[in-house]
Amino acid sequence: MVSESLRTEFPNVAAGAKQVSVADLGTESTFVVLLLMQSSGSGTCRQQAREIAAEYDEFQRRSATVAAIVPGSAPKVRSWRRLVDPPFPVLADREAALAEAFYQRTQYGRLGRFVSSIGRMPMTVVLDYRDGGPSVGYTYEGATSFDRPPVRELLAALDES
């Protein structure tokens, strides 16, 4: 299931190709850092993207591409991207296919699965493409809406890989 989802093309509302798959990103970099966001309305998600954007050159030095995966339609995610303006791809995952593929946690049962802004927990996944991959090199599953890995922890995870 994960490999199929990685080949699925999603609308990219940031600079670059209009349609992007995670597999495409893996051909350009050794690592792909996926920021599986909660929703297009989450201020904490925007803050995480801004913090990573401020240190993006450090990710690039490590041959890592970051991609924010935001559940929702391309117009909603485009509005989210305008508030953040990151230097990396922002993919609109209308059906939350990547969230499902990586088993991104939700809370509050059906309501949480239906209303991602309150139910979906943030998740960060680092994919390693060195061995033809991808293989999961690091995962951080947020316990709350505000629980996200610090940028330094992500950089350290890349260094240790």
Side-chain angles (χ1 to χ4, degrees):
M1 172 69 174
V2 170
S3 62
E4 287 177 31
S5 296
L6 296 181
R7 288 190 300 273
T8 302
E9 290 191 341
F10 298 95
N12 176 20
V13 300
K18 299 241 185 259
Q19 295 283 320
V20 176
S21 72
V22 174
D24 293 338
L25 299 175
T27 63
E28 300 170 9
S29 301
T30 303
F31 302 101
V32 176
V33 179
L34 300 177
L35 307 174
L36 296 165
M37 301 297 189
Q38 291 175 277
S39 75
S40 60
S42 169
T44 311
C45 290
R46 289 190 302 270
Q47 182 60 35
Q48 179 187 28
R50 284 185 194 109
E51 290 171 3
I52 289 176
E55 299 287 335
Y56 196 57
D57 60 327
E58 291 295 324
F59 287 89
Q60 290 181 313
R61 281 190 202 124
R62 291 164 173 84
S63 187
T65 297
V66 175
I69 314 302
V70 184
S73 66
K76 281 187 177 185
V77 176
R78 191 173 288 110
S79 296
W80 180 92
R81 196 255 327 140
R82 285 185 192 118
L83 294 171
V84 178
D85 196 28
F88 46 79
V90 177
L91 307 183
D93 187 357
R94 182 181 195 97
E95 305 300 322
L98 289 172
E100 293 297 318
F102 286 104
Y103 304 103
Q104 187 178 11
R105 287 182 335 113
T106 59
Q107 59 184 0
Y108 308 123
R110 280 190 222 176
L111 176 65
R113 286 188 298 279
F114 183 70
V115 183
S116 63
S117 61
I118 63 167
R120 191 170 304 286
M121 296 293 99
M123 183 177 192
T124 303
V125 177
V126 175
L127 298 174
D128 185 338
Y129 280 85
R130 287 180 292 188
D131 294 329
S135 62
V136 175
Y138 170 91
T139 303
Y140 189 99
E141 296 183 61
T144 70
S145 297
F146 305 102
D147 184 16
R148 293 147 197 280
V151 174
R152 292 287 160 215
E153 183 175 323
L154 287 175
L155 293 171
L158 293 170
D159 291 339
E160 292 170 6
S161 293

